[in-house]
Each structure stands twice: as C-alpha cells, then as structure tokens.
Amino acid sequence: MAPTLRRTHAKPSQPLQSQELLQPYTSKRNFSVTPEPAGEAVTASDALGFVVQKHWASHLHYDFRLELDGVMKSWAVPKGPSLDPSVKRMAVEVEDHPVAYAAFEGTIPAGQYGAGRVIVWDKGLWQPLGDPMEGLRKGSLKFDLVGHKLQGRWALVRMKGNEAKPAWLLLKERDAFARDEREYSVVEAAPDSVSSAAATTPAVKPKKSKAGNASAQPTLPSKAVASELPDKLSPQLATRVERPPTDDADWMYEIKFDGYRMLARIDGGAVKLFTRNGHDWTSRLKPLHDALVGMALPNGWYDGEIVVPGAKGLPDFGALQQSFDNGRTSDVVFYLFDLPFVDGHDLRAAPLVERREVLERVLARSPVREVQFSAAFDGAADTVLLSACRLGLEGVIAKRKGSTYRTTRSTDWLKLKCGQRQEFVIGGYTEGKGARTGFGALLLGVFNEQGELRHVGNVGTGFSTKTLTSLRRRMEPLTRPSSPFATRPTLVGKAHWIEPTLVAEVTFSDWTHDGHVRHGVFVGLREDKPAHTVERELPQPADPPAPTPRPDKAPVPAKAPTSSRPVRISHPERVIDATTGATKLDLFQHYEAVAALMIEHVKQRPVALLRAPEGIDGEMFFQKHLTNPLPGITQLELTSSPGKAPWIAVDQREGLLSAAQWNVVEFHTQNAVVKSFEKPNRLVFDLDPGEGVGWEQVQEAALLTQSLLEQLGLTCFLKTSGGKGLHVVVPIRLQHTWDEAKGFSQAVVQHMSQVIPQRFVARSGPKNRVGKIFVDYLRNGRGATTVSAWSARARAGLGVSVPVEWGELASLRGGDHWNIRSVQERLPTGNAPWSGYARSARALTSAMKKLGYTP
C-alpha cells in the first residue's frame, strides 16, 4: 500500500486562474478530431498525482507531468528519466495539461498537434518538498515520487536560456532507489504501459544490502567495518623492484599471472566486471559473468586477474588476446586473490591474510572451473622466484601478510619478474615523434635456418639522449633502399632500412605466438658477435640459470635526456612522495615524457612554480619570479607593468626539466599570454568539493556547469585537476579586461548557487562548502593561476592534471585518476580531447546579456 501524500502548500484563492492556464493547451487542439481530453481545471486535491507518458511524436520522448493546483505541470524529456544521480536529463517546459490527461492513452491523428501514439509509461503520487509554487518560480523544485517505475527523491532545476520554452534538468537524488545507468536503464528495462496496474502500488523496491546467497554469510575479520558497497573501486597496484624482500617471514608470494587485472562487483545477484581502469567488460566476458551469477556469491568487490591457460596449462597472454579477438572467452579463468568488500562490510583495514581467508571460504562453497582461488606460497623469495621462472611463469607478486588494502600503488605488493635477454640484428629504425630526437624504435630481427632475416619486433625504450644520437650516427652510413627482412615488419611511423650488421642486446618479457618479443628494453650494442650468427635462443631442457628480474624502467643516465643543453640531476634518489616511494628521478622522468604535450599549455603564459625541496611532506613554496635564469626558463618583462619583477616563462622542453631538477612539482599558468596580457584568453572554473561531497557529485557538477555554459553560447573543455576536483576551461576572444572576465565568471557561479543551492556555493572557505561544491571563479583574476595540464600535483600519489573528453567523465575515478606512473598509458591520447580548442573561442558579450550580467 502506497503512503498517503499530503499537500504542504495552501490551495489557491482564485481557482479560475487554473482554467486560464489551460488556454494554450486548448488552443492547439481540435477536440472533434483528437481523442485527447478537452478537460477542465479541477479543484486542487490533497493527494497529488503524477504521470509519465511515452509519446511517439515526430521524435520519441517522454512527457513528465505533476499535478499542481488543478492542472498538470508538464515537461518534455527527450531521453526519459534516469535513476542515476550522475545523469542529467534535459526537460523542456511545455503547456499545462488537464488532470484528466493523466489517464490518456491512444493515438493522436496525423495533422493534429503532437500526432503519434501515447501510452502511460508510469504513474503514481508525488510529494513536493516545501512550497512547490515558490520552487517553480525560483527554478528549483524538489519532490518525492511513489510510482511503478519511479521512486524516491527527485529534482527539477531550471537552466538559463530560452524563456519561451524554459529548459530544466530532471535529476534523481541519491537514495535507496538510485541505480547506475550503466547497470540499469529504466526506460530500456521497463518500456511498456502501466495503465492496467494498480495506480498507487510501487513496483520498484529499494536495493537491499544483503548477500546474493543469504545462507552463505562469511565470518568477517575483527577490523571489518559496516559499509555500503561503493559503485567504483580502484585496485591496489604492485611496485616493481629489482630484488626480492629479505625478511621472508613477513611476506607471502603469489603467481604473477600473465593476463588482465579484473574486478567483479556483485550486488543483489547483479554481476559486473571491470578492468583496473574502470572500464565495464561484462559484455565481453559473458561466460565468466554467467559462472559468477551461478555461484550466488555474497555482495562485494572481488579482485583478481583473468587468464587463458596455454598448451602447458600455464597462463598464456597470447591465448587470452586471441580469445578476445575471436569473441570467444569461454576458456577464460578468473583467479581471485583479494576481497576488499563483502557482505555489507569494508575489509580494507583488515590484514591481507584475513581477507584471503574469507575469500577462500566464500569460493569453496560453490566451486566452478571459471573462478579459482589464487594460492600463495611461503619460503625464501629467491627460491620461490626461481621456481616460478623454471616453470615458465612471468614472475611472482610478493605481498606483505599484515598489509591493508590500499586503492593505489603500494610497496606492500611487489612485482618480481622473470626476464629474458638475447641479441638481435638491427634491420632499420623509425622516425621519432614529438620532441624525441634520434629515432623512434629499432626494428629487430633474427636469422632462421635458411639464412633469412626474420622480423621479430621493435624496441623503443631503454635509450638515453646520448644513445639515441650516437646510434643514429652509427646507422645512417648503413642506409639501404629496401627492407632487409624476409618477413614484413610491423611499423609505427616511417621506416629507414639499414644493412643488417649491427647487433643489439635486449631484455624482454616473453615471445608472442607469432614470434615477436614483448616489452623489449634496449641494453646496448654487442661489438663481439657477428650479425649472421644471431638466432632465436630457444629454452633448453636443462635447468636455466637464476632469473634476472627486469627493472620497471630502463636505468636513467646520470645526465638525463634533454634538448641540446644538458640538465644534470642532483640527488635523484630523494623521495618526493613517501606514500608511493616516488623519487625526484621519477618526477623528472614524468616531465621528460609529457614535455611535448605540456609545452602546448604553458608556452607564452606567465608561470608560477611550486617547489618542494624536501618532498611534498616538507616545506613547499610558490615562485613567480627569478633572480637568475635557468636553462630553458626565461624572464618576462610585461610592458603593461614597467618596473615590476619579471614573470617566469617556460617555452621549451629543457625548461620543464630544469624546473624538475630545481625541485618543482607543480606548474601553474595564468589566463593570458604575454603578448596581450591585459586581455585574458580563457576562463577557468575550478570545481572544488567541500567536506562530505562524493565524486559522483563532482561529476554531476561538471555536467551542470557545462550545460549552463553551453546555454550561454560558450564551448568548454574538461580536464582532471590531479587532486580532488575538475577544471572546466572556456576559451574566449581577446576582447575583455581582467575585471570583466572575473566579474562574468563570478556571475556564472552566483547564478548556479542560486538556482541549485543544494549543489553549489558561491563563497569559498571550508565552512561554507560542507556538502557542497565551490566553483572557484577567483582563478580568473589578474595574476591568478591554475595548475597546467600534464602537471603533477604535490599530493599523496602525485596525481596529474589531464585533458579529457566530456564523454570520458563517467569513467573517471576521481580528479587524480592518473598519476605520474599511470599517465604513461594516456600519452598516446595526448591533447586530442581538446582538439578544436583555439577555434572555439567566443566573445563574452552575448553570454553576459543572456545571463543578465552588466560589467
């Protein structure tokens, strides 16, 4: 039985006004032709009804109607409602309809207004929160729904724009009835009419937090904490080391599976499979999904790796790739090794061995071939690693037995890999991309029994700048017009062929099925071995020598790669971030890797440098002026500020590296370029969440900001902040002063805080934004700065600010989605999400007028 909803506002004193509201509805229809009800305004009732009608007009849409003061207030929702709080649905206000229309189903004839089929997709009762008439006037209406498909708390928020057809946003509030759109789309799952159902009986029930198998509730560790199951989870990652730990009693060892990291989220029997980066692969792993559903496991997050066994029963990465390429994943096995959440509890604070005990008991209750428990081994690390290498495994993962589960990279989990190493003939090279000098990659080959040089892959890592230059000099005299390989090489970029006389020594992880090296790292040239003797080295039956674990990265030379001017690194071992063990050298390598991309964002702009000589846990300070120049860093004299200290400018790759040597962690830029400094060419809206604000609210706030700016005729671009929030950046034309730009951005933020006060606040300060988001417009003042794209952040984890597409927003795990290590995987995408940035610049004049702002 549905609860009785009571009106919280007074009945109108002039009922006839409601009849006047129906005049637009009546004037558009010929009731001798259309079956729609003519209808009249009715006396306002205590129980208020709502209806959502699915309407196949010229375009399919949903009509959302709320009974209020004798009529149905109406909005056209093109995509229909969503139960996901992070999803906004545009709702265009249309004419009021008679209350009788709530029961209408039928077909409006051709030639009539709104011609097409109409069904009652949902109906029930609604309860306004506060005075609904005041909410409509102010553009912020909150209410509860009790329907067959729509339940819980909702909001309608009016956006600035066309006053003739005001645009609103229909939003689901976060409550027990909220559902992730990626898991459940209510318009797709429930497409039919509810007209035959009981009018006020809700069909949707709140989600329960009980296990999928109620009889299989595990005994939990003492440090388990009651908790809701989070929608997203970043997995703990291992740190690559050169040597095993020495205190064996504190560590256990697991096989390093040659596969893909995977996490399973199980909630009420619904199973979703996610990659380590949060991508939903459920549809790609249907056999595994079905197996997990059949196991009826308790709700939770299950952490592991998917593999495909090869011919010898060992994990085979090539076979796994073939399974996905062929679209047949029935041979995939999911090895589970951790359980951070289970049965309504957070186990992350519990010791690893206790989490694994729970996981092992849970899996033992319903064993299936597709899901296995990852066994662990005790003993001396060297012995365990040697045994793994002899078996042909990729290596082992050392895990500290008493460690907690941390959703970041940790030194409590260590990667120890079995390496391979041999000589290869160099048959050519590719051109370097971006700022890379010398060449891009070496093309490798080995001779077969017929004396043919067979291409076996490329190697593009392990080179210093000096090596890149010297090798290019060695190869250029050997140039030949055609390929020396008997097989067609796999190329990325333009190839230059050379006589096959040079021999390179390379470490690599494995051979692929088609005979190519995986993860090659250049070691050096072999001067003592003739090229014609180089063949593929096959494993022998005898025991191999002790393994040589490969380092995670090639050693960095004492003189780090730079442009023509060398930059020496002092104290490269100094730890910058104690939480990850990241060193000054790691930070230097980050700026070396992103330099070509980052220069596009910092060049010609005054830059402020955040320095951390003692690491991010020590004293840090900003530096905006230089007393002495540094390599690649220049001083800017502004003609508009004579006699003032010059600003800093970084327009070269060498300047980024000089700054990294100078203990700079963050690079901040102003909103104008030097040549026209008094006219800013961009606006920045920094979404800064207050205490108690979840990431989903930040994502929603970014979409609301984008929507408003687009309504004002402005194009905006998105980037992660590298910290807690997001940055929305608007390119503008050089037509406005600093005061005008800052004043307009402040007016935008004030408008947002007035229209959606439950989301936004226009005043800074921690006390003002508890549970809300402060959209920082102060970044737009003269002299103010914002962290640059591709800059690291001086926070635990060393997050990185990265340009993203708006379509990627839903998949981001936070403002620190990438850090200085994981950002390497993003480099191929580079600045592409901001393509079209320069030509998107607009003047603010029209936007100011629409907003009602006068400078």
Side-chain angles (χ1 to χ4, degrees):
M1 183 88 181
T4 300
L5 300 183
R6 295 291 178 183
R7 291 166 49 87
T8 58
H9 62 287
K11 297 180 182 179
S13 58
Q14 296 178 323
L16 290 179
Q17 288 182 350
S18 297
Q19 188 64 45
E20 295 174 3
L21 294 175
L22 293 179
Q23 184 60 37
Y25 169 85
T26 304
S27 64
K28 293 179 179 180
R29 290 162 174 82
N30 183 349
F31 295 107
S32 64
V33 178
T34 180
E36 298 167 282
E40 295 182 352
V42 299
T43 303
S45 62
D46 286 335
L48 299 175
F50 87 91
V51 67
V52 181
Q53 286 162 313
K54 192 173 181 179
H55 190 176
W56 286 268
S58 57
H59 299 284
L60 173 64
H61 66 276
Y62 295 75
D63 293 309
F64 184 79
R65 312 190 197 279
L66 300 175
E67 180 186 353
L68 186 62
D69 287 332
V71 297
M72 301 297 290
K73 299 292 182 184
S74 300
W75 294 262
V77 184
K79 294 184 179 181
S82 171
L83 303 183
D84 191 333
S86 67
V87 174
K88 60 177 183 178
R89 288 290 192 243
M90 187 65 71
V92 179
E93 186 177 336
V94 297
E95 73 274 12
D96 297 332
H97 283 49
V99 172
Y101 205 96
F104 172 67
E105 284 192 324
T107 300
I108 303 171
Q112 294 297 300
Y113 180 79
R117 183 184 170 212
V118 177
I119 65 171
V120 175
W121 181 79
D122 196 20
K123 62 182 178 180
L125 302 176
W126 77 286
Q127 171 74 60
L129 302 176
D131 186 339
M133 299 305 293
E134 182 181 0
L136 287 174
R137 283 194 302 271
K138 290 186 175 181
S140 179
L141 177 64
K142 299 186 73 170
F143 49 91
D144 287 328
L145 296 181
V146 182
H148 301 276
K149 301 172 183 177
L150 305 183
Q151 299 262 331
R153 187 148 296 179
W154 295 74
L156 277 163
V157 179
R158 185 170 58 228
M159 306 304 293
K160 190 76 174 178
N162 188 345
E163 297 301 328
K165 284 191 174 182
W168 298 63
L169 295 177
L170 177 63
L171 306 168
K172 180 74 185 78
E173 298 283 351
R174 187 163 299 283
D175 57 21
F177 298 97
R179 299 286 296 272
D180 190 321
E181 184 78 13
R182 294 171 300 178
E183 297 178 358
Y184 181 83
S185 169
V186 66
V187 296
E188 294 178 3
D192 300 325
S193 170
V194 297
S195 60
S196 61
T200 60
T201 303
V204 183
K205 301 295 182 185
K207 293 185 293 182
K208 302 294 184 182
S209 295
K210 71 179 185 179
N213 181 357
S215 63
Q217 296 188 2
T219 303
L220 300 176
S222 60
K223 291 190 176 181
V225 179
S227 170
E228 293 185 0
L229 189 66
D231 294 334
K232 300 177 182 179
L233 180 70
S234 298
Q236 179 160 342
L237 303 177
T239 299
R240 186 68 179 276
V241 294
E242 296 186 29
R243 299 179 206 65
T246 56
D247 46 342
D248 292 318
D250 295 336
W251 297 82
M252 65 181 202
Y253 303 91
E254 296 177 50
I255 291 174
K256 188 181 189 307
F257 295 103
D258 199 5
Y260 291 136
R261 186 72 173 274
M262 195 64 55
L263 295 102
R265 185 183 188 274
I266 300 178
D267 187 9
V271 175
K272 291 289 183 181
L273 292 158
F274 296 96
T275 67
R276 58 178 280 184
N277 293 324
H279 299 300
D280 188 342
W281 277 22
T282 309
S283 61
R284 303 184 67 185
L285 292 163
K286 191 173 188 309
L288 175 58
H289 166 269
D290 294 344
L292 287 165
V293 170
M295 293 177 73
L297 295 170
N299 291 347
W301 276 99
Y302 295 74
D303 192 359
E305 188 143 355
I306 57 170
V307 304
V308 168
K312 298 180 180 179
L314 300 175
D316 187 328
F317 187 80
L320 178 63
Q321 289 182 314
Q322 289 179 2
S323 295
F324 281 102
D325 291 342
N326 298 331
R328 295 190 296 270
T329 57
S330 57
D331 49 358
V332 166
V333 178
F334 192 15
Y335 280 91
L336 293 170
F337 45 69
D338 215 323
L339 187 60
F341 287 84
V342 71
D343 193 35
H345 288 79
D346 182 349
L347 306 190
R348 290 177 295 176
L352 170 65
V353 290
E354 295 183 18
R355 299 195 305 270
R356 285 176 51 84
E357 286 174 2
V358 177
L359 175 62
E360 187 173 17
R361 290 198 303 269
V362 166
L363 297 180
R365 291 171 180 151
S366 50
V368 296
R369 179 197 64 83
E370 295 89 345
V371 182
Q372 300 289 325
F373 179 70
S374 173
F377 308 91
D378 290 325
D382 288 328
T383 302
V384 175
L385 180 58
L386 179 58
S387 299
C389 295
R390 285 175 172 169
L391 288 171
L393 295 169
E394 188 182 0
V396 298
I397 301 291
K399 296 183 179 179
R400 202 181 300 273
K401 295 178 181 178
S403 63
T404 59
Y405 190 98
R406 300 171 59 189
T407 55
T408 183
R409 194 172 298 278
S410 168
T411 53
D412 288 329
W413 292 13
L414 304 176
K415 285 188 289 188
L416 301 165
K417 296 188 71 174
C418 303
Q420 298 196 49
R421 181 170 176 154
Q422 77 155 77
E423 297 83 22
F424 297 92
V425 178
I426 303 174
Y429 58 94
T430 61
E431 284 290 344
K433 292 185 176 181
R436 177 136 178 177
T437 59
F439 58 89
L442 300 178
L443 310 180
L444 306 177
V446 295
F447 285 98
N448 60 18
E449 294 179 354
Q450 290 74 39
E452 299 171 327
L453 184 65
R454 187 167 61 85
H455 179 249
V456 294
N458 309 330
V459 59
T461 59
F463 306 100
S464 67
T465 298
K466 181 179 179 180
T467 304
L468 288 168
T469 304
S470 63
L471 260 178
R472 178 71 181 248
R473 285 200 299 264
R474 288 284 300 272
M475 294 187 291
E476 283 179 342
L478 302 174
T479 299
R480 55 180 284 168
S482 59
S483 169
F485 296 106
T487 54
R488 185 180 180 86
T490 302
L491 298 177
V492 178
K494 181 181 179 182
H496 297 268
W497 310 114
I498 66 170
E499 295 295 337
T501 58
L502 297 179
V503 177
E505 186 167 3
V506 175
T507 64
F508 57 100
S509 62
D510 201 359
W511 291 93
T512 64
H513 273 290
D514 56 354
H516 285 65
V517 296
R518 290 184 60 215
H519 306 147
V521 177
F522 178 79
V523 177
L525 285 180
R526 289 289 299 264
E527 305 287 349
D528 58 339
K529 190 165 187 176
H532 65 86
T533 64
V534 175
E535 301 176 347
R536 176 174 173 178
E537 299 175 2
L538 298 174
Q540 301 300 313
D543 288 344
T548 304
R550 282 193 302 118
D552 197 31
K553 301 175 183 175
V556 174
K559 192 179 288 184
T562 66
S563 60
S564 58
R565 198 171 197 176
V567 175
R568 296 181 179 275
I569 308 175
S570 61
H571 304 294
E573 77 290 345
R574 179 183 294 144
V575 174
I576 300 296
D577 175 21
T579 65
T580 62
T583 64
K584 181 178 179 180
L585 193 55
D586 293 322
L587 191 63
F588 185 97
Q589 289 178 319
H590 164 72
Y591 284 117
E592 179 186 35
V594 303
L597 299 171
M598 187 171 172
I599 286 296
E600 294 183 27
H601 297 269
V602 300
K603 65 182 179 182
Q604 301 181 31
R605 296 184 184 274
V607 174
L609 308 174
L610 180 63
R611 298 176 60 190
E614 299 175 358
I616 63 174
D617 292 329
E619 181 182 358
M620 295 186 288
F621 55 92
F622 273 105
Q623 186 146 355
K624 294 185 176 182
H625 310 285
L626 285 180
T627 54
N628 297 302
L630 292 172
I633 298 179
T634 57
Q635 297 175 318
L636 297 175
E637 296 282 356
L638 299 180
T639 57
S640 58
S641 303
K644 299 290 186 180
W647 293 94
I648 295 173
V650 181
D651 286 345
Q652 303 176 45
R653 177 173 179 266
E654 188 179 25
L656 296 176
L657 303 184
S658 292
Q661 154 60 15
W662 208 33
N663 302 304
V664 171
V665 179
E666 298 184 0
F667 293 78
H668 291 242
T669 58
Q670 297 194 31
N671 285 353
V673 294
V674 176
K675 62 182 180 181
S676 53
F677 184 75
E678 295 306 324
K679 296 290 179 69
N681 67 352
R682 75 180 183 196
L683 300 178
V684 176
F685 295 92
D686 180 3
L687 276 59
D688 189 1
E691 182 181 350
V693 175
W695 174 242
E696 294 81 2
Q697 291 174 265
V698 179
Q699 291 170 303
E700 178 190 62
L703 290 172
L704 291 171
T705 305
Q706 179 201 29
S707 179
L708 173 58
L709 292 170
E710 288 184 346
Q711 296 258 350
L712 296 175
L714 299 175
T715 302
C716 52
F717 295 81
L718 182 68
K719 71 182 181 77
T720 64
S721 68
K724 297 185 298 181
L726 294 165
H727 293 159
V728 177
V729 183
V730 183
I732 62 175
R733 292 180 180 170
L734 296 170
Q735 298 180 7
H736 309 280
T737 66
W738 285 105
D739 288 343
E740 290 171 342
K742 181 180 178 181
F744 170 75
S745 62
Q746 181 178 10
V748 169
V749 174
Q750 289 174 338
H751 175 78
M752 295 170 68
S753 66
Q754 291 166 2
V755 172
I756 320 176
Q758 66 271 32
R759 300 286 200 289
F760 299 106
V761 62
R763 298 179 61 189
S764 62
K767 293 182 180 179
N768 296 322
R769 59 175 186 261
V770 173
K772 299 183 180 182
I773 293 172
F774 171 55
V775 183
D776 189 354
Y777 62 88
L778 301 172
R779 305 283 182 179
N780 299 303
R782 190 182 193 278
T785 61
T786 305
V787 72
S788 170
W790 304 107
S791 173
R793 300 304 306 273
R795 300 169 179 267
L798 296 179
V800 176
S801 177
V802 176
V804 295
E805 295 269 10
W806 281 102
E808 297 179 282
L809 176 58
S811 64
L812 297 178
R813 298 189 304 272
D816 56 354
H817 184 94
W818 288 280
N819 56 46
I820 64 169
R821 289 191 172 109
S822 64
V823 79
Q824 299 295 322
E825 66 193 30
R826 183 69 178 182
L827 299 185
T829 301
N831 292 322
W834 280 27
S835 60
Y837 175 91
R839 62 177 177 268
S840 298
R842 300 287 185 270
L844 296 179
T845 308
S846 177
M848 289 177 177
K849 184 177 179 181
K850 290 180 180 179
L851 190 62
Y853 169 73
T854 303

